[in-house]
Structure formats: structure tokens, C-alpha cells
Coordinates of all heavy atoms in Angstrom, one line a residue:
M10 N 94.0 -133.1 -20.8 CA 94.2 -134.1 -19.6 C 95.2 -133.5 -18.8 O 96.1 -132.9 -19.0 CB 94.7 -135.4 -20.2 CG 95.0 -136.4 -19.2 SD 95.7 -137.9 -19.7 CE 94.4 -138.6 -20.5
K11 N 94.8 -133.4 -17.5 CA 95.7 -133.0 -16.4 C 96.5 -134.1 -15.8 O 96.1 -135.3 -15.7 CB 95.0 -132.4 -15.2 CG 94.2 -131.1 -15.6 CD 93.6 -130.5 -14.5 CE 92.9 -129.2 -14.8 NZ 92.2 -128.5 -13.7
D12 N 97.7 -133.7 -15.3 CA 98.6 -134.7 -14.6 C 98.4 -134.5 -13.2 O 98.7 -133.4 -12.6 CB 100.0 -134.4 -15.0 CG 101.0 -135.4 -14.5 OD1 100.6 -136.2 -13.9 OD2 102.2 -135.2 -14.7
H13 N 98.0 -135.5 -12.5 CA 97.5 -135.3 -11.0 C 98.6 -136.0 -10.1 O 98.3 -136.1 -8.9 CB 96.2 -136.0 -10.8 CG 95.1 -135.2 -11.4 ND1 94.7 -134.0 -11.0 CD2 94.4 -135.5 -12.6 CE1 93.7 -133.5 -11.7 NE2 93.5 -134.4 -12.8
K14 N 99.7 -136.6 -10.7 CA 100.6 -137.2 -9.8 C 101.3 -136.2 -8.8 O 101.4 -135.0 -9.2 CB 101.6 -138.1 -10.4 CG 102.7 -137.3 -11.3 CD 103.6 -138.3 -11.8 CE 104.5 -137.7 -12.9 NZ 103.9 -137.2 -14.1
V15 N 101.7 -136.6 -7.7 CA 102.4 -135.8 -6.7 C 103.8 -136.2 -6.7 O 104.1 -137.5 -6.6 CB 101.8 -136.1 -5.3 CG1 102.6 -135.4 -4.2 CG2 100.3 -135.7 -5.2
I16 N 104.8 -135.2 -6.9 CA 106.2 -135.5 -6.9 C 106.8 -134.9 -5.6 O 106.6 -133.7 -5.4 CB 106.8 -134.9 -8.2 CG1 106.3 -135.6 -9.4 CG2 108.4 -135.1 -8.1 CD1 106.7 -135.1 -10.7
L17 N 107.4 -135.7 -4.8 CA 108.0 -135.3 -3.5 C 108.8 -134.1 -3.6 O 108.6 -133.1 -2.9 CB 108.6 -136.5 -2.9 CG 109.4 -136.1 -1.5 CD1 108.2 -135.8 -0.5 CD2 110.0 -137.4 -0.9
S18 N 109.8 -134.1 -4.4 CA 110.7 -133.0 -4.5 C 110.1 -131.6 -4.8 O 110.4 -130.5 -4.3 CB 111.9 -133.2 -5.4 OG 111.5 -133.5 -6.8
W19 N 109.3 -131.7 -5.8 CA 108.5 -130.4 -6.3 C 107.6 -129.9 -5.2 O 107.5 -128.7 -4.9 CB 107.7 -130.7 -7.5 CG 108.4 -131.1 -8.7 CD1 109.8 -131.1 -8.8 CD2 107.9 -131.3 -10.0 NE1 110.2 -131.6 -10.2 CE2 109.0 -131.7 -10.9 CE3 106.6 -131.4 -10.5 CZ2 108.8 -132.0 -12.2 CZ3 106.5 -131.7 -11.8 CH2 107.5 -132.0 -12.7
N20 N 106.9 -130.7 -4.4 CA 106.1 -130.3 -3.3 C 106.9 -129.9 -2.2 O 106.5 -128.8 -1.4 CB 105.1 -131.4 -2.9 CG 104.0 -131.6 -3.9 OD1 102.9 -130.9 -3.6 ND2 104.1 -132.4 -4.9
A21 N 108.1 -130.5 -2.0 CA 108.9 -130.0 -0.9 C 109.5 -128.5 -1.2 O 109.5 -127.7 -0.3 CB 110.1 -130.8 -0.7
L22 N 109.7 -128.3 -2.4 CA 110.1 -126.9 -2.9 C 109.0 -125.9 -2.6 O 109.2 -124.8 -2.1 CB 110.5 -126.9 -4.3 CG 111.8 -127.6 -4.7 CD1 112.0 -127.7 -6.1 CD2 113.0 -126.7 -4.1
M23 N 107.8 -126.3 -3.0 CA 106.6 -125.5 -2.6 C 106.4 -125.2 -1.1 O 106.2 -124.1 -0.8 CB 105.3 -126.2 -3.2 CG 104.0 -125.4 -2.9 SD 102.5 -126.3 -3.0 CE 102.8 -127.6 -1.7
I24 N 106.6 -126.1 -0.4 CA 106.6 -126.0 1.1 C 107.6 -125.0 1.6 O 107.4 -124.1 2.4 CB 106.7 -127.4 1.9 CG1 105.6 -128.3 1.5 CG2 106.9 -127.0 3.3 CD1 105.8 -129.8 2.0
S25 N 108.9 -125.1 1.1 CA 109.9 -124.1 1.4 C 109.5 -122.8 1.0 O 109.7 -121.8 1.8 CB 111.2 -124.5 0.7 OG 111.7 -125.7 1.2
T26 N 108.9 -122.6 -0.1 CA 108.4 -121.2 -0.6 C 107.3 -120.7 0.1 O 107.3 -119.6 0.5 CB 108.0 -121.4 -2.1 OG1 109.1 -121.9 -2.9 CG2 107.6 -120.0 -2.6
L27 N 106.3 -121.6 0.6 CA 105.3 -121.1 1.4 C 105.8 -120.6 2.8 O 105.3 -119.6 3.3 CB 104.2 -122.2 1.6 CG 103.3 -122.5 0.4 CD1 102.6 -123.8 0.6 CD2 102.3 -121.4 0.1
T28 N 106.7 -121.4 3.3 CA 107.2 -120.8 4.7 C 108.1 -119.6 4.6 O 108.0 -118.8 5.6 CB 108.1 -122.0 5.4 OG1 109.1 -122.5 4.5 CG2 107.2 -123.2 5.7
K29 N 108.7 -119.5 3.5 CA 109.4 -118.2 3.3 C 108.5 -117.0 3.1 O 108.7 -115.9 3.5 CB 110.4 -118.2 2.1 CG 111.7 -119.1 2.4 CD 112.6 -119.2 1.1 CE 113.7 -120.3 1.5 NZ 114.5 -120.6 0.4
A30 N 107.4 -117.3 2.3 CA 106.4 -116.2 2.2 C 105.8 -115.9 3.5 O 105.5 -114.7 3.9 CB 105.3 -116.8 1.2
Y31 N 105.6 -116.9 4.4 CA 105.1 -116.6 5.7 C 106.0 -115.7 6.5 O 105.7 -114.7 7.0 CB 104.8 -117.9 6.5 CG 104.7 -117.7 8.0 CD1 103.5 -117.0 8.5 CD2 105.7 -118.0 8.9 CE1 103.5 -116.8 9.8 CE2 105.6 -117.8 10.2 CZ 104.4 -117.2 10.7 OH 104.3 -117.0 12.0
D32 N 107.4 -116.0 6.4 CA 108.4 -115.2 7.1 C 108.5 -113.8 6.6 O 108.5 -112.8 7.3 CB 109.8 -115.9 6.8 CG 110.0 -117.1 7.8 OD1 109.3 -117.2 8.8 OD2 110.9 -117.8 7.4
C33 N 108.3 -113.6 5.3 CA 108.4 -112.3 4.7 C 107.1 -111.4 4.9 O 107.2 -110.3 5.1 CB 108.6 -112.4 3.2 SG 110.3 -113.0 2.8
L34 N 106.0 -112.1 4.8 CA 104.7 -111.4 4.8 C 103.9 -111.5 6.1 O 102.9 -110.8 6.3 CB 103.8 -111.9 3.6 CG 104.4 -111.7 2.3 CD1 103.6 -112.5 1.2 CD2 104.7 -110.3 1.9
D35 N 104.4 -112.3 7.0 CA 103.6 -112.6 8.3 C 102.2 -112.9 8.1 O 101.3 -112.4 8.8 CB 103.9 -111.4 9.2 CG 103.6 -111.7 10.6 OD1 103.8 -112.9 11.1 OD2 103.1 -110.9 11.3
D36 N 101.9 -113.7 7.0 CA 100.5 -114.0 6.7 C 100.4 -115.5 7.0 O 101.0 -116.4 6.4 CB 100.2 -113.9 5.2 CG 98.8 -114.2 4.9 OD1 98.1 -114.9 5.6 OD2 98.4 -113.6 3.8
H37 N 99.6 -115.8 8.1 CA 99.5 -117.2 8.6 C 98.8 -118.2 7.6 O 99.0 -119.4 7.8 CB 98.7 -117.2 9.9 CG 99.5 -116.6 11.0 ND1 100.4 -117.3 11.7 CD2 99.5 -115.3 11.5 CE1 100.9 -116.4 12.7 NE2 100.5 -115.3 12.5
Q38 N 98.2 -117.7 6.6 CA 97.7 -118.6 5.6 C 98.8 -119.4 4.9 O 98.7 -120.5 4.5 CB 96.7 -117.8 4.5 CG 95.5 -117.3 5.1 CD 94.7 -116.5 4.1 OE1 95.1 -116.3 2.9 NE2 93.5 -116.2 4.5
Y39 N 99.9 -118.7 4.6 CA 101.1 -119.4 4.0 C 101.6 -120.4 4.9 O 101.9 -121.6 4.5 CB 102.1 -118.4 3.6 CG 101.7 -117.4 2.5 CD1 101.6 -116.1 2.7 CD2 101.6 -117.9 1.2 CE1 101.3 -115.2 1.8 CE2 101.2 -117.0 0.1 CZ 101.0 -115.7 0.5 OH 100.7 -114.8 -0.5
L40 N 101.8 -120.2 6.1 CA 102.2 -121.2 7.0 C 101.2 -122.4 7.2 O 101.7 -123.6 7.2 CB 102.4 -120.6 8.4 CG 102.9 -121.5 9.5 CD1 104.3 -122.1 9.2 CD2 103.0 -120.8 10.8
A41 N 100.0 -122.1 7.3 CA 98.9 -123.1 7.3 C 99.0 -124.0 6.1 O 98.9 -125.3 6.2 CB 97.5 -122.5 7.5
A42 N 99.2 -123.4 4.8 CA 99.1 -124.3 3.7 C 100.4 -125.1 3.6 O 100.5 -126.2 3.3 CB 99.2 -123.3 2.5
G43 N 101.6 -124.6 4.1 CA 102.9 -125.2 4.2 C 102.7 -126.4 5.1 O 103.2 -127.5 4.7
L44 N 102.2 -126.2 6.2 CA 102.1 -127.3 7.2 C 101.1 -128.3 6.8 O 101.4 -129.6 6.9 CB 101.6 -126.7 8.6 CG 102.6 -125.9 9.3 CD1 102.0 -125.2 10.6 CD2 103.7 -126.7 9.8
K45 N 100.0 -128.0 6.1 CA 99.0 -129.0 5.6 C 99.8 -129.8 4.5 O 99.7 -131.0 4.5 CB 97.9 -128.2 5.0 CG 96.8 -129.2 4.5 CD 95.6 -128.5 4.0 CE 94.6 -129.5 3.5 NZ 93.5 -128.8 2.8
A46 N 100.5 -129.2 3.6 CA 101.2 -129.9 2.6 C 102.2 -130.8 3.1 O 102.4 -131.9 2.6 CB 101.8 -128.9 1.6
A47 N 103.0 -130.3 4.2 CA 104.0 -131.2 4.7 C 103.5 -132.4 5.4 O 104.0 -133.6 5.3 CB 104.8 -130.4 5.7
H48 N 102.3 -132.2 6.1 CA 101.7 -133.4 6.8 C 101.2 -134.3 5.7 O 101.3 -135.5 5.9 CB 100.5 -132.8 7.7 CG 99.7 -133.8 8.4 ND1 100.2 -134.7 9.3 CD2 98.5 -134.4 8.1 CE1 99.4 -135.6 9.7 NE2 98.3 -135.4 9.0
T49 N 100.6 -133.9 4.6 CA 100.1 -134.8 3.6 C 101.2 -135.6 3.0 O 101.1 -136.7 2.7 CB 99.3 -133.9 2.5 OG1 98.2 -133.2 3.1 CG2 98.8 -134.8 1.4
L50 N 102.4 -134.8 2.7 CA 103.5 -135.6 2.1 C 103.9 -136.6 3.0 O 104.3 -137.8 2.5 CB 104.6 -134.6 1.7 CG 104.4 -133.7 0.5 CD1 105.7 -132.9 0.3 CD2 104.1 -134.5 -0.8
W51 N 104.1 -136.3 4.2 CA 104.6 -137.2 5.2 C 103.7 -138.5 5.4 O 104.1 -139.6 5.5 CB 104.9 -136.5 6.4 CG 105.7 -137.4 7.5 CD1 105.2 -137.9 8.6 CD2 107.1 -137.7 7.5 NE1 106.2 -138.5 9.3 CE2 107.4 -138.5 8.6 CE3 108.1 -137.5 6.5 CZ2 108.6 -139.0 8.8 CZ3 109.3 -138.0 6.7 CH2 109.6 -138.8 7.8
K52 N 102.4 -138.2 5.3 CA 101.5 -139.3 5.5 C 101.3 -140.1 4.3 O 101.1 -141.3 4.4 CB 100.2 -138.7 5.9 CG 99.0 -139.7 6.3 CD 97.8 -138.9 6.8 CE 96.7 -139.2 5.7 NZ 95.4 -138.5 6.1
E53 N 101.2 -139.5 3.1 CA 100.9 -140.2 1.9 C 102.0 -140.8 1.0 O 101.9 -141.8 0.3 CB 100.1 -139.2 0.9 CG 98.8 -138.7 1.5 CD 97.8 -139.9 1.7 OE1 97.7 -140.8 0.9 OE2 97.0 -139.7 2.7
L54 N 103.2 -140.3 1.2 CA 104.4 -140.7 0.5 C 105.5 -141.5 1.3 O 106.6 -141.6 0.9 CB 105.1 -139.5 -0.2 CG 104.2 -138.8 -1.2 CD1 105.0 -137.7 -1.9 CD2 103.7 -139.8 -2.4
R55 N 104.9 -142.1 2.4 CA 105.9 -142.9 3.3 C 105.5 -144.3 3.3 O 104.2 -144.6 3.4 CB 105.8 -142.3 4.6 CG 107.1 -142.6 5.5 CD 107.2 -141.7 6.6 NE 106.0 -141.4 7.3 CZ 105.6 -141.8 8.5 NH1 106.4 -142.5 9.2 NH2 104.5 -141.5 9.0
S56 N 106.3 -145.3 3.2 CA 106.0 -146.7 3.2 C 105.9 -147.2 4.6 O 106.2 -146.4 5.6 CB 107.2 -147.5 2.6 OG 108.2 -147.5 3.3
D57 N 105.3 -148.4 4.8 CA 105.1 -148.9 6.2 C 106.5 -149.1 6.9 O 106.6 -149.0 8.1 CB 104.5 -150.3 6.1 CG 103.0 -150.2 5.6 OD1 102.5 -149.0 5.7 OD2 102.4 -151.1 4.9
E58 N 107.6 -149.2 6.2 CA 109.0 -149.3 6.6 C 109.6 -147.9 6.9 O 110.7 -147.9 7.4 CB 109.9 -150.2 5.7 CG 109.3 -151.6 5.5 CD 108.3 -151.7 4.4 OE1 108.3 -150.9 3.4 OE2 107.4 -152.6 4.5
G59 N 108.9 -146.9 6.6 CA 109.5 -145.6 6.8 C 110.2 -145.0 5.6 O 110.7 -143.8 5.7
R60 N 110.3 -145.7 4.5 CA 111.0 -145.1 3.3 C 110.1 -144.1 2.6 O 108.9 -144.3 2.8 CB 111.3 -146.2 2.3 CG 112.2 -147.4 2.8 CD 113.7 -147.2 2.6 NE 114.2 -146.6 1.4 CZ 114.7 -147.3 0.4 NH1 114.8 -148.6 0.5 NH2 115.2 -146.6 -0.7
L61 N 110.6 -143.2 1.9 CA 109.8 -142.2 1.1 C 109.7 -142.6 -0.3 O 110.5 -143.3 -0.9 CB 110.5 -140.9 1.3 CG 110.3 -140.2 2.6 CD1 111.2 -139.0 2.6 CD2 109.0 -140.0 3.1
F62 N 108.5 -142.3 -1.0 CA 108.3 -142.6 -2.4 C 108.4 -141.2 -3.0 O 108.1 -140.1 -2.6 CB 106.9 -143.1 -2.5 CG 106.6 -144.5 -2.0 CD1 105.8 -144.7 -1.0 CD2 107.3 -145.6 -2.7 CE1 105.6 -145.9 -0.5 CE2 107.2 -146.8 -2.1 CZ 106.3 -147.0 -1.1
R63 N 108.9 -141.2 -4.2 CA 109.1 -140.0 -5.1 C 107.7 -139.6 -5.6 O 107.5 -138.4 -5.6 CB 110.0 -140.3 -6.4 CG 110.1 -139.1 -7.2 CD 111.3 -139.3 -8.2 NE 111.4 -138.3 -9.2 CZ 111.9 -137.1 -8.9 NH1 112.4 -136.8 -7.7 NH2 112.1 -136.1 -9.8
T64 N 106.8 -140.5 -5.9 CA 105.5 -140.1 -6.4 C 104.4 -140.9 -5.6 O 104.7 -141.8 -4.9 CB 105.3 -140.6 -7.9 OG1 105.5 -141.9 -8.1 CG2 106.3 -139.8 -8.7
D65 N 103.2 -140.5 -5.7 CA 102.1 -141.1 -5.0 C 101.6 -142.4 -5.8 O 102.3 -142.7 -6.8 CB 100.9 -140.1 -4.9 CG 100.4 -139.7 -6.2 OD1 100.9 -140.0 -7.3 OD2 99.2 -139.2 -6.2
K66 N 100.6 -143.0 -5.3 CA 100.2 -144.4 -5.9 C 99.8 -144.1 -7.4 O 100.1 -145.1 -8.2 CB 99.0 -144.8 -5.1 CG 99.4 -145.2 -3.7 CD 98.2 -145.7 -2.9 CE 98.6 -146.2 -1.6 NZ 97.9 -145.7 -0.4
K67 N 99.3 -143.0 -7.8 CA 98.9 -142.8 -9.2 C 100.1 -142.7 -10.1 O 100.0 -143.0 -11.2 CB 98.1 -141.5 -9.3 CG 96.7 -141.6 -8.5 CD 96.0 -140.3 -8.6 CE 95.0 -140.2 -7.5 NZ 94.6 -138.8 -7.1
G68 N 101.2 -142.2 -9.5 CA 102.5 -142.2 -10.2 C 103.3 -143.4 -10.3 O 104.4 -143.3 -10.8
G69 N 102.9 -144.4 -9.6 CA 103.6 -145.7 -9.6 C 104.5 -145.9 -8.5 O 105.1 -147.0 -8.3
Q70 N 104.6 -145.0 -7.4 CA 105.3 -145.2 -6.3 C 106.8 -145.7 -6.4 O 107.2 -146.7 -6.0 CB 104.6 -146.1 -5.2 CG 103.5 -145.5 -4.6 CD 103.0 -146.3 -3.4 OE1 103.0 -147.5 -3.3 NE2 102.4 -145.6 -2.4
I71 N 107.5 -144.9 -7.0 CA 108.9 -145.0 -7.2 C 109.6 -144.6 -5.9 O 109.2 -143.6 -5.3 CB 109.5 -144.2 -8.4 CG1 108.8 -144.5 -9.7 CG2 111.0 -144.3 -8.5 CD1 109.0 -143.5 -10.8
L72 N 110.6 -145.4 -5.4 CA 111.4 -144.9 -4.3 C 111.9 -143.6 -4.4 O 112.4 -143.3 -5.5 CB 112.3 -146.0 -3.8 CG 111.8 -147.3 -3.2 CD1 112.8 -148.2 -2.9 CD2 111.0 -147.0 -1.9
A73 N 112.0 -142.8 -3.3 CA 112.6 -141.4 -3.5 C 114.0 -141.4 -3.8 O 114.8 -142.3 -3.3 CB 112.3 -140.7 -2.2
F74 N 114.4 -140.4 -4.5 CA 115.8 -140.2 -4.8 C 116.5 -139.3 -3.8 O 115.8 -138.7 -3.0 CB 116.0 -139.5 -6.2 CG 115.3 -140.3 -7.3 CD1 114.6 -139.6 -8.3 CD2 115.6 -141.6 -7.4 CE1 114.1 -140.4 -9.3 CE2 115.0 -142.4 -8.5 CZ 114.3 -141.8 -9.5
S75 N 117.7 -139.1 -3.8 CA 118.4 -138.1 -3.0 C 117.9 -136.7 -2.9 O 117.8 -136.1 -2.0 CB 120.0 -138.3 -3.1 OG 120.3 -137.8 -4.4
E76 N 117.6 -136.3 -4.1 CA 117.1 -134.9 -4.2 C 115.8 -134.8 -3.5 O 115.4 -133.7 -2.9 CB 116.9 -134.5 -5.8 CG 115.7 -135.0 -6.4 CD 115.6 -134.4 -7.7 OE1 116.5 -134.1 -8.5 OE2 114.3 -134.3 -8.2
D77 N 114.9 -135.9 -3.6 CA 113.7 -135.8 -2.8 C 113.8 -135.6 -1.3 O 113.2 -134.8 -0.7 CB 112.9 -137.0 -3.0 CG 112.4 -137.2 -4.6 OD1 111.7 -136.3 -5.1 OD2 112.9 -138.2 -5.2
Y78 N 114.8 -136.5 -0.7 CA 115.1 -136.4 0.6 C 115.7 -135.0 1.0 O 115.4 -134.4 2.0 CB 116.1 -137.5 1.0 CG 115.5 -138.9 1.2 CD1 115.4 -139.7 0.2 CD2 114.9 -139.2 2.4 CE1 114.8 -141.0 0.4 CE2 114.3 -140.4 2.7 CZ 114.3 -141.3 1.6 OH 113.6 -142.6 1.8
S79 N 116.6 -134.5 0.2 CA 117.2 -133.2 0.5 C 116.3 -132.0 0.5 O 116.3 -131.2 1.4 CB 118.5 -133.0 -0.5 OG 118.1 -132.8 -1.7
F80 N 115.4 -132.0 -0.5 CA 114.4 -130.9 -0.6 C 113.5 -131.1 0.5 O 113.0 -130.0 1.1 CB 113.7 -130.9 -1.9 CG 114.5 -130.4 -3.1 CD1 114.5 -131.0 -4.3 CD2 115.3 -129.3 -3.0 CE1 115.2 -130.7 -5.4 CE2 116.0 -128.8 -4.0 CZ 116.0 -129.5 -5.2
L81 N 113.1 -132.3 0.9 CA 112.1 -132.5 2.0 C 112.8 -132.0 3.3 O 112.1 -131.3 4.2 CB 111.5 -133.8 2.1 CG 110.4 -134.2 3.1 CD1 109.2 -133.2 2.8 CD2 110.1 -135.5 3.2
C82 N 114.0 -132.4 3.5 CA 114.7 -132.0 4.8 C 114.9 -130.5 4.8 O 114.7 -129.9 5.9 CB 116.1 -132.6 4.9 SG 116.2 -134.4 5.2
N83 N 115.2 -129.9 3.8 CA 115.3 -128.4 3.7 C 114.0 -127.8 4.1 O 113.8 -126.9 4.8 CB 115.8 -128.0 2.3 CG 116.0 -126.5 2.3 OD1 116.8 -126.0 3.1 ND2 115.4 -125.8 1.4
A84 N 112.8 -128.3 3.5 CA 111.5 -127.8 3.8 C 111.2 -128.0 5.3 O 110.6 -127.0 5.9 CB 110.5 -128.5 2.9
F85 N 111.5 -129.0 5.8 CA 111.1 -129.3 7.3 C 112.0 -128.4 8.2 O 111.6 -128.2 9.3 CB 111.3 -130.8 7.5 CG 110.2 -131.7 7.1 CD1 110.3 -133.1 7.3 CD2 109.2 -131.2 6.4 CE1 109.2 -133.8 6.9 CE2 108.1 -131.9 6.0 CZ 108.2 -133.3 6.2
I86 N 113.2 -128.0 7.8 CA 114.0 -127.2 8.5 C 113.5 -125.8 8.5 O 113.4 -125.1 9.5 CB 115.5 -127.2 8.1 CG1 116.1 -128.5 8.4 CG2 116.3 -126.1 8.7 CD1 117.5 -128.7 7.7

């Protein structure tokens, strides 16, 4: 059985890694993947009030912790 839930902080770390790979390798596929993931997180893990969720609907939509916010801010920078 696979675990399909999306965790905000883990995905934010992946976005940071993809953008660093783009910087190092100048391969636009990494940038495109990072931007797509960032857009998806921002769209899918945000409440109507603008709060972020730590997990997606399948994971129970727990409100985001400070680590989720910090990793996402770092990824967006």
C-alpha cells in the first residue's frame, strides 16, 4: 500500500532542491518542475481564509506548523 498524502514541508524542501538543481545545472526541466509543484501546493493546501494546511484532504487537513511555513518561505525565496 502506498502513502499518497502530501506534506507541505517535505514538498517545500523538494521545491528548494529542484531550484538549486536548476541553478547548478541550468536545466529548465528542474525549474519547471519546481514551479509546478509550488503552484500546486499554493493552490491545494490553502484554506479559503488564506491559512495553509500541513497535509492535503486525504491526510486530514491539519493546519500547517511553523516548519511548514518556514520551509515554504525558503522555497519561494
Side-chain angles (χ1 to χ4, degrees):
M10 177 186 286
K11 290 185 179 182
D12 183 3
H13 293 285
K14 72 178 169 284
V15 175
I16 299 175
L17 179 59
S18 60
W19 294 0
N20 281 274
L22 287 169
M23 177 199 60
I24 294 167
S25 295
T26 303
L27 287 168
T28 55
K29 286 177 185 171
Y31 164 71
D32 283 342
C33 293
L34 303 172
D35 199 31
D36 185 338
H37 289 277
Q38 290 180 351
Y39 292 112
L40 180 61
L44 289 172
K45 181 179 178 184
H48 177 66
T49 300
L50 284 182
W51 190 249
K52 186 175 118 185
E53 298 295 326
L54 295 181
R55 200 165 37 115
S56 71
D57 294 336
E58 296 83 31
R60 302 269 322 254
L61 292 173
F62 294 112
R63 179 167 176 78
T64 60
D65 64 348
K66 292 177 180 137
K67 297 173 199 163
Q70 282 194 330
I71 301 165
L72 286 176
F74 301 136
S75 58
E76 78 172 34
D77 297 301
Y78 280 96
S79 65
F80 285 134
L81 187 63
C82 288
N83 185 56
F85 283 180
I86 290 171

